[in-house]
Amino acid sequence: MRRRSRNNPNTSESTGKTGAELPSNQPAPLVPFYPDEAPAQHQPRGQRTPETRPAATHRPAAQARPAKQEWSEPAGTGRFELETQPEMASVPPPEPEAAERSAEAPKGYVVLAIGLPGSGKTTWFRRRGVTPLSSDLLRNILFDDVEEQRYQGLVFSTLRSLLRARLIARMPWNYVDATNLSIHERRQWIKMAKSFGYEVQAVFFDVPLEVCLERNSKRDRSVSADVMRKMSEKLKPPVFEEGFAKITVVRVKNAG
């Protein structure tokens, strides 16, 4: 039997499967650092820089949830949607014909899922008949083992290479299934998509931590409650200033 490492669990989706233990014989993967605050620069009129927020502090599980993120967007723009779980199966909108596309239209779309384990990301994709790019999918392809944790850097560099290949091939719809908790974890996907002329959309699973903990506890491969709480503190809702052209918020029914 393979001995389990006693090292601390990994809480960053950018370096591997969140909540998994890193082997003691593997150097810690390099994690890119993107400071939240940048020097003040002149911005063209009509543009705004992303709002910076102080780092979250640990909150006891019994403490009330913070106020929900609000997205101020004029009605009828199509840039914001609100969904409720569960939802009837649906499919992405059809790609416009070449004659219908304007010169300014994006080549396609990259959709980032954002949310804690147990928030319903996998179910959301399954109901739409979508197979997203995901670390679990790659582990099965590369190692025939979804729980293989020794090669985190290889898994996620391959994931980014797969998205790049799809963009080169001009695939119209591209989905990335990861927690994408922080702004800097999302930035690399957004930068790549925009460099190819693709529009980036976010699907934010605004599900209470208590619901995620309950769902996670029923899984065969669950993340520890302590790790889940640390991840919840890192989670920042997406905002348009990051570069998203559309944000869809998915919530559970009767969520406070």
Side-chain angles (χ1 to χ4, degrees):
M1 294 180 60
R2 182 183 301 168
R3 296 180 60 186
R4 287 183 175 271
S5 168
R6 293 175 180 251
N7 289 353
N8 293 330
N10 177 22
T11 61
S12 174
E13 185 76 33
S14 65
T15 58
K17 185 65 178 180
T18 302
E21 296 178 347
L22 296 177
S24 58
N25 62 348
Q26 177 185 346
L30 296 177
V31 181
F33 173 73
Y34 301 91
D36 289 336
E37 297 185 0
Q41 296 180 355
H42 174 72
Q43 296 291 331
R45 187 173 182 179
Q47 296 185 7
R48 297 190 303 172
T49 56
E51 180 183 356
T52 59
R53 302 181 182 178
T57 57
H58 178 70
R59 300 188 304 271
Q63 188 172 340
R65 296 178 65 213
K68 289 184 179 295
Q69 168 73 37
E70 296 296 336
W71 293 267
S72 298
E73 189 65 23
T77 63
R79 281 163 51 88
F80 178 81
E81 289 186 8
L82 179 64
E83 298 181 6
T84 303
Q85 299 175 341
E87 185 187 76
M88 296 297 292
S90 61
V91 296
E95 176 71 3
E97 297 294 335
E100 302 175 3
R101 294 174 59 87
S102 67
E104 295 78 18
K107 295 180 181 178
Y109 306 87
V110 173
V111 182
L112 300 185
I114 301 168
L116 297 172
S119 59
K121 299 188 298 297
T122 300
T123 302
W124 190 87
F125 285 120
R126 186 182 298 123
R127 290 178 189 220
R128 285 156 178 74
V130 171
T131 301
L133 300 177
S134 72
S135 57
D136 285 349
L137 172 66
L138 278 183
R139 289 187 182 93
N140 269 329
I141 293 175
L142 296 175
F143 316 117
D144 300 324
D145 183 0
V146 72
E147 297 187 19
E148 175 60 70
Q149 301 294 327
R150 291 178 295 173
Y151 307 104
Q152 307 301 338
L154 176 61
V155 168
F156 281 86
S157 63
T158 304
L159 196 65
R160 289 188 289 272
S161 295
L162 283 177
L163 176 60
R164 181 181 179 85
R166 288 182 61 88
L167 301 184
I168 292 174
R170 300 197 174 203
M171 301 303 293
W173 285 94
N174 306 273
Y175 297 85
V176 179
D177 183 6
T179 58
N180 290 314
L181 300 176
S182 65
I183 292 175
H184 82 258
E185 289 176 355
R186 301 190 287 260
R187 187 173 297 168
Q188 57 186 332
W189 300 107
I190 296 172
K191 182 178 179 180
M192 180 188 297
K194 286 183 172 291
S195 70
F196 280 88
Y198 275 64
E199 179 180 294
V200 190
Q201 301 181 3
V203 181
F204 175 50
F205 294 80
D206 187 19
V207 179
L209 174 60
E210 294 76 14
V211 175
C212 295
L213 286 169
E214 180 182 358
R215 293 175 178 175
N216 178 71
S217 66
K218 299 176 181 178
R219 292 178 167 181
D220 293 335
R221 297 182 299 108
S222 61
V223 180
S224 72
D226 288 341
V227 170
M228 290 279 287
R229 291 189 177 93
K230 291 179 180 178
M231 293 174 65
S232 178
E233 293 171 357
K234 290 179 59 180
L235 178 60
K236 289 185 179 294
V239 292
F240 290 109
E241 288 81 0
E242 293 181 64
F244 293 114
K246 180 179 179 179
I247 296 175
T248 299
V249 177
V250 183
R251 292 173 178 161
V252 294
K253 287 184 177 180
N254 303 321

